[in-house]
Amino acid sequence: MLVILSNLMLYFLVDPSDIYASERDPGSKDALDFRHHNYKEMRKVRSVTEECPDITHIYTIGKSYMGFKLYVMEISDNPGKHELGEPEFRYVAGMHGNEALGRELVLNLMQYLCREYKKGNQRVVRLVTETRIHLLPSMNPDGYEAGSELAGWAEGRYSFEGIDMNHNFPDLNNIMWDAQEKAEDPSKVAPETRAVISWMQDIPFVLSANLHGGELVVTYPFDCTRDWAPQEDTPTADDAFFRWLAAVYASTNLVMANPDRRICHYEDFQSHNNIINGGAWHTVPGSMNDFSYLHTNCFEVTVELSCDKFPHASELPIEWENNKESLLVYMEQVHRGIKGVVRDKLTKQGIADAIIKVEDHNHDIRSAADGDYWRLLNPGEYKVVVWAVGYFPSMRRCHVGSEPHPTVCDFTLTKTERERKQKPVWSPL
């Protein structure tokens, strides 16, 4: 893993002797729409679908408290449907409405992927054909409309109802989530949060990043500490892979990777290689990252993109160049680990909700509706056991290499004797 990471850093870093290269660069070679987009202007992103109708699809996942639609752009070679074996990826920006850079980077990314795909850029073509990409530029449009370049540090951060959405995802156990669902006062969970939760549950996402601003660091779960301690390293069962994900983004970000960059405030994250466990920085109960990991199959990190939450429009081309490679290489990580399809031995049909367990990793995932699954893992040899209700378990050993290409590990399950007697396979013959 260290060899791969060092290669990434050597390949993408600017000249180390030119310590202000990224900050001095007057712009970007990419002719993108570098400006701030309010809600009305953001809707003009439909122009991307007109430019690339074969690989794009716009849909909404719900509405904000004020009635603004939460638009998502899907980019895929077969937009509008899940393809068997193809992983689902998402970027979410604008959870805090006043942290505007993520919103603009996601809008720029839509344009970039469209145009580079049309040019035949093989890297982008591969991403689009092998990945179903979902881009949500503004989770908190109400907050964005309240903020501005000249607004205070917190103005626009919260929803219209005054809710901090990064503390708004349900408690980390299902019992509490069920209780909140039935609560008489549903306002405790914002409509925007509910919309994103439904989205997570509808689509079998594998990897995600939550784009924020105001610092330069990448954080990874768990965000909520044990017993709500103010600060405590709180690793997941997949801590090594989360550290890898965070390091991939941080090491390819032109500003984060600059050893002589200025610190944003009072914390020098260079000593942590610009990555840190969320709980070790400060506890965040109810974060989207934790919910994603514990309640879905999706791994998610938070990227703090810039010291400035709402950079001037003239700085957007530079910020795009600072983050472009990071945005691309992070998406490519969705193809690490193992993937496969869990099928019924007799019918050959996919088995939904099968449990995939990796030995020595106390975090199981489940197969999607068609029986396909994806399990992000670092290079190595793994013992994988799969089982489902009414079936005998099955075990395989799967090898994961260093390249960003998943190892295919399919499983065929046999029904138990009792299940076969109770539910005989119907045949027209």
Side-chain angles (χ1 to χ4, degrees), residues 125 293 426:
V125 170
Y293 181 70
W426 178 84

Side-chain angles (χ1 to χ4, degrees), residues 320-361:
W320 166 251
E321 288 299 319
N322 289 340
N323 286 278
K324 177 172 70 173
E325 179 57 38
S326 305
L327 291 167
L328 294 173
V329 74
Y330 184 81
M331 283 194 288
E332 291 168 338
Q333 305 315 302
V334 76
H335 295 286
R336 291 197 178 274
I338 62 175
K339 74 172 187 177
V341 182
V342 183
R343 291 187 171 93
D344 183 291
K345 183 178 181 179
L346 190 59
T347 68
K348 309 303 180 186
Q349 296 298 307
I351 301 173
D353 215 30
I355 298 172
I356 295 88
K357 182 175 183 62
V358 178
E359 188 177 52
D360 298 325
H361 285 65

Side-chain angles (χ1 to χ4, degrees), residues 89-93 106 109 134-136 209 211 326-327 330-331:
F89 177 93
R90 70 171 183 261
Y91 273 129
V92 176
V106 168
L109 183 60
H134 304 258
L135 305 174
L136 171 60
L211 306 182
S326 305
L327 291 167
Y330 184 81
M331 283 194 288

Side-chain angles (χ1 to χ4, degrees), residues 263-324:
I263 65 172
C264 290
H265 304 293
Y266 57 89
E267 292 178 279
D268 183 6
F269 289 107
Q270 296 271 20
S271 61
H272 302 284
N273 295 316
N274 304 299
I275 69 172
I276 192 169
N277 173 266
W281 184 16
H282 60 266
T283 188
V284 182
S287 78
M288 185 164 73
N289 287 6
D290 287 359
F291 182 88
S292 181
Y293 181 70
L294 289 171
H295 288 282
T296 78
N297 292 338
C298 186
F299 288 30
E300 180 174 284
V301 303
T302 290
V303 182
E304 298 283 351
L305 295 162
S306 172
C307 298
D308 193 349
K309 290 186 174 186
F310 209 124
H312 189 272
S314 64
E315 300 173 28
L316 294 178
I318 302 169
E319 293 290 4
W320 166 251
E321 288 299 319
N322 289 340
N323 286 278
K324 177 172 70 173

Side-chain angles (χ1 to χ4, degrees), residues 59-64 68-72 90-96 134-141 165-166 168-170 177 181 189-205 208-210 286-293 295-296 298 300:
Y59 63 97
T60 64
I61 60 171
K63 292 182 179 181
S64 71
F68 293 118
K69 292 181 179 179
L70 305 180
Y71 287 107
V72 176
R90 70 171 183 261
Y91 273 129
V92 176
M95 169 180 273
H96 294 147
H134 304 258
L135 305 174
L136 171 60
S138 185
M139 181 179 167
N140 181 9
M165 294 182 199
N166 207 32
N168 192 226
F169 282 75
W177 170 229
E181 277 283 80
V189 180
E192 298 91 340
T193 306
R194 289 181 178 274
V196 169
I197 288 172
S198 295
W199 186 39
M200 290 178 175
Q201 294 173 335
D202 289 343
I203 296 175
F205 289 113
S208 172
N210 184 7
S287 78
M288 185 164 73
N289 287 6
D290 287 359
F291 182 88
S292 181
Y293 181 70
H295 288 282
T296 78
C298 186
E300 180 174 284

Side-chain angles (χ1 to χ4, degrees), residues 48-310:
V48 177
T49 63
E50 295 169 2
E51 190 174 351
C52 294
D54 294 337
I55 63 167
T56 59
H57 169 65
I58 291 181
Y59 63 97
T60 64
I61 60 171
K63 292 182 179 181
S64 71
Y65 182 84
M66 293 297 291
F68 293 118
K69 292 181 179 179
L70 305 180
Y71 287 107
V72 176
M73 176 170 284
E74 175 195 340
I75 300 179
S76 166
D77 61 337
N78 284 295
K81 64 177 182 180
H82 172 73
E83 295 183 74
L84 188 71
E86 185 169 283
E88 309 263 359
F89 177 93
R90 70 171 183 261
Y91 273 129
V92 176
M95 169 180 273
H96 294 147
N98 63 334
E99 296 169 12
L101 179 57
R103 176 192 187 105
E104 299 308 325
L105 289 177
V106 168
L107 294 174
N108 293 152
L109 183 60
M110 294 174 184
Q111 290 180 293
Y112 179 82
L113 292 175
C114 165
R115 293 175 184 179
E116 293 301 306
Y117 182 87
K118 290 179 69 177
K119 290 178 184 177
N121 180 323
Q122 286 304 298
R123 184 186 191 186
V124 171
V125 170
R126 186 166 55 252
L127 259 176
V128 171
T129 55
E130 297 179 359
T131 321
R132 191 180 180 204
I133 302 165
H134 304 258
L135 305 174
L136 171 60
S138 185
M139 181 179 167
N140 181 9
D142 296 357
Y144 179 88
E145 297 300 312
S148 74
E149 296 174 42
L150 302 177
W153 185 254
E155 190 170 350
R157 174 185 177 91
Y158 306 102
S159 72
F160 184 85
E161 301 172 276
I163 295 173
D164 185 334
M165 294 182 199
N166 207 32
H167 294 264
N168 192 226
F169 282 75
D171 190 89
L172 299 184
N173 70 73
N174 282 309
I175 296 174
M176 286 299 295
W177 170 229
D178 291 341
Q180 289 187 23
E181 277 283 80
K182 299 170 185 176
E184 295 181 4
D185 182 12
S187 64
K188 291 181 180 179
V189 180
E192 298 91 340
T193 306
R194 289 181 178 274
V196 169
I197 288 172
S198 295
W199 186 39
M200 290 178 175
Q201 294 173 335
D202 289 343
I203 296 175
F205 289 113
V206 180
L207 181 62
S208 172
N210 184 7
L211 306 182
H212 285 247
E215 195 40 276
L216 280 166
V217 68
V218 183
T219 73
Y220 52 91
F222 288 117
D223 291 329
C224 184
T225 59
R226 300 177 186 86
D227 302 319
W228 288 30
Q231 286 181 305
E232 182 183 40
D233 186 48
T234 313
T236 67
D238 290 282
D239 188 61
F241 194 83
F242 270 117
R243 290 177 62 84
W244 163 259
L245 289 173
V248 162
Y249 198 102
S251 65
T252 54
N253 180 283
L254 297 186
V255 178
M256 290 188 202
N258 181 350
D260 298 297
R261 70 170 174 86
R262 297 181 291 269
I263 65 172
C264 290
H265 304 293
Y266 57 89
E267 292 178 279
D268 183 6
F269 289 107
Q270 296 271 20
S271 61
H272 302 284
N273 295 316
N274 304 299
I275 69 172
I276 192 169
N277 173 266
W281 184 16
H282 60 266
T283 188
V284 182
S287 78
M288 185 164 73
N289 287 6
D290 287 359
F291 182 88
S292 181
Y293 181 70
L294 289 171
H295 288 282
T296 78
N297 292 338
C298 186
F299 288 30
E300 180 174 284
V301 303
T302 290
V303 182
E304 298 283 351
L305 295 162
S306 172
C307 298
D308 193 349
K309 290 186 174 186
F310 209 124

